Amino acid sequence: IALMAVAAWVTVPFGPVPFTLQTLAVMFVLFALPAKQALVAIGGYIVLGGLGLPVFSSFKGGLAALMGPTGGFIVGFFVAALVAIGAAALLKRTPLFASEEKKSFFGTHIAAGVLARNLVMGVVFLAVLYVFGWAWLMIAGHLSAEAAFAAAVAPFVVIDVLKMIAAVLVAQAVSAVVSR
């Protein structure tokens, strides 16, 4: 929870939706922790912010932050994590995504199945997050679909994919160190 809060405070103004490291931290939690622990951490983060602790971007907290135009992305973290974890559970049953064969990647040995599963989880997470946040921004921000997409999704796709890859690799590196 602390990692997500600190990452949210790293903010670069970028239109109605700021650029933060929050998404990187949430994805790291999703990839590094077991499913239930990840959901508890993400849910706890949202609850603490909703109660008023300044854990969201720009040191915001409270129901106004959750219910405002960008609140859909915050609430969407939990929804997207839930869907991504469900997708990962389904993928784990297939040979490609269950493989324990280790591959060397940037000096770290990573199980190929875990890497593939986390990458797919990341794509699913981002897709659900974008749809949820985009729809919320249209409603709460009184924007057209095109305006909301242009403000809150299009500028972030490349940046978020890079954050996803970084989160997957860092989570795998941490996992490798912890399992020694």
Side-chain angles (χ1 to χ4, degrees), residues 14 33 83 90 105 122 131 139 155 160 168 174:
F14 202 71
L33 296 177
V83 174
L90 292 174
F105 200 75
V131 168
I139 295 165
D160 285 343
V168 166
V174 168

Side-chain angles (χ1 to χ4, degrees), residues 165-176:
I165 292 168
V168 166
L169 295 177
V170 171
Q172 294 304 308
V174 168
S175 177

